[in-house]
Amino acid sequence: MQMTEHICEVFRSPLRDIEIFDQSMIEWLIKFQPTIRSVWIPDGVITSPELLDRMLKNLKMMIRFDLGSIKTDETIQIMEPISSRSILVWKPYWITLPSILNGTNSMIRLYYSKLAPKDINTILKEWQMGSKLQKLEYLEIKTSLLLDDDIYANEVLKDLNVTVIDGYDERPMGVILKDDDDNVEEIHYPSRVERVHNLIRNDGMIGSIFRSVTYGKTVFFNFQVWRRET
């Protein structure tokens, strides 16, 4: 860490990306450079709700934030948004519906989430109304399927005026994540499926809803936002 500080000082250049593999690095980064482009934290590094809270409140990840599973009591919850343009979190039992709704994220991927289908339904309704989630381009949630597949789908789509599309509907094959200079940071390729449910917003944006089930008890819910080419 001392060598990193020295190099940054000599070349007058801030850190761009970092992998944090030790708790002490979180405290060091908060003091040394609290705003950074991308952060990746593997499984098991964060072991207390206090450390998680301190990191989220004092460290701004501008473009990407990838976080493995954390070792804390599964009753903890956060209500505040996560600052990064893209977030990818494993076992995000601590991420709540308000955290998502009040965020400005473009890409959200939550693997083994505990969000209920009614929570996803709320996300879709809020996106369509346009007052929240205005920057959302892609949402992917992997969760254990505690309900029958059709019941799950019906709860997700409840009271939504959707159009069912079979086959190719011009939806872009990739979701592009860009940095502040409009450079491509990442291209994520959602599943290609035979059927999607399209949700239309007043400004012409389309939200394509689709899902895939693996191993019978795991569901991948996907929501991709796009505009039809004229």
Side-chain angles (χ1 to χ4, degrees):
M1 290 186 286
Q2 290 179 338
M3 180 61 72
T4 300
E5 292 182 22
H6 180 66
I7 291 172
C8 289
E9 181 179 358
V10 169
F11 289 96
R12 300 181 181 275
S13 177
L15 291 175
R16 177 181 172 90
D17 313 285
I18 192 169
E19 176 185 355
I20 294 176
F21 51 84
D22 182 83
Q23 291 185 13
S24 63
M25 294 183 67
I26 296 175
E27 294 293 343
W28 169 77
L29 190 60
I30 289 173
K31 294 178 181 179
F32 177 65
Q33 187 183 310
T35 298
I36 190 170
R37 180 176 169 275
S38 300
V39 173
W40 175 44
I41 304 177
D43 293 345
V45 173
I46 296 179
T47 57
S48 72
E50 292 79 14
L51 181 59
L52 177 65
D53 182 68
R54 175 164 169 74
M55 179 188 69
L56 295 177
K57 288 181 177 178
N58 295 280
L59 190 60
K60 181 179 181 181
M61 291 74 65
M62 297 176 60
I63 307 298
R64 292 184 56 177
F65 177 50
D66 295 358
L67 177 61
S69 60
I70 63 177
K71 295 181 179 179
T72 65
D73 184 348
E74 293 197 11
T75 62
I76 70 166
Q77 294 183 328
I78 65 149
M79 300 295 175
E80 299 79 13
I82 298 174
S83 63
S84 182
R85 191 169 301 173
S86 168
I87 60 173
L88 187 158
V89 183
W90 289 85
K91 296 184 179 180
Y93 52 82
W94 46 274
I95 295 181
T96 61
L97 182 59
S99 174
I100 295 174
L101 293 179
N102 295 322
T104 58
N105 314 104
S106 297
M107 186 181 297
I108 303 172
R109 285 169 288 178
L110 306 177
Y111 297 152
Y112 299 102
S113 169
K114 289 192 175 182
L115 289 176
K118 66 178 181 179
D119 296 325
I120 300 175
N121 178 261
T122 299
I123 291 172
L124 298 177
K125 288 178 178 176
E126 291 287 351
W127 174 84
Q128 188 176 36
M129 286 190 290
S131 60
K132 296 180 181 292
L133 301 166
Q134 294 181 0
K135 294 185 178 181
L136 183 64
E137 298 179 27
Y138 182 68
L139 170 67
E140 181 177 288
I141 296 176
K142 180 180 181 180
T143 186
S144 297
L145 191 62
L146 302 178
L147 301 171
D148 175 81
D149 186 30
D150 291 331
I151 296 176
Y152 184 97
N154 290 337
E155 289 196 15
V156 167
L157 299 174
K158 186 177 180 181
D159 299 326
L160 291 173
N161 184 17
V162 296
T163 302
V164 180
I165 303 295
D166 290 313
Y168 177 64
D169 63 345
E170 301 181 31
R171 175 169 58 92
M173 295 184 65
V175 180
I176 301 175
L177 178 68
K178 295 184 177 181
D179 62 19
D180 292 334
D181 297 320
D182 208 34
N183 298 314
V184 175
E185 165 68 19
E186 177 187 359
I187 303 178
H188 181 72
Y189 295 95
S191 302
R192 307 305 295 178
V193 294
E194 295 298 324
R195 171 172 292 186
V196 300
H197 293 78
N198 281 345
L199 195 62
I200 311 298
R201 202 164 63 183
N202 287 336
D203 61 0
M205 297 302 292
I206 302 170
S208 289
I209 307 161
F210 51 101
R211 71 189 195 280
S212 58
V213 179
T214 58
Y215 309 119
K217 289 297 181 180
T218 302
V219 61
F220 275 94
F221 165 84
N222 305 267
F223 180 62
Q224 181 178 350
V225 178
W226 57 286
R227 187 186 294 275
R228 199 177 301 279
E229 296 293 334
T230 57

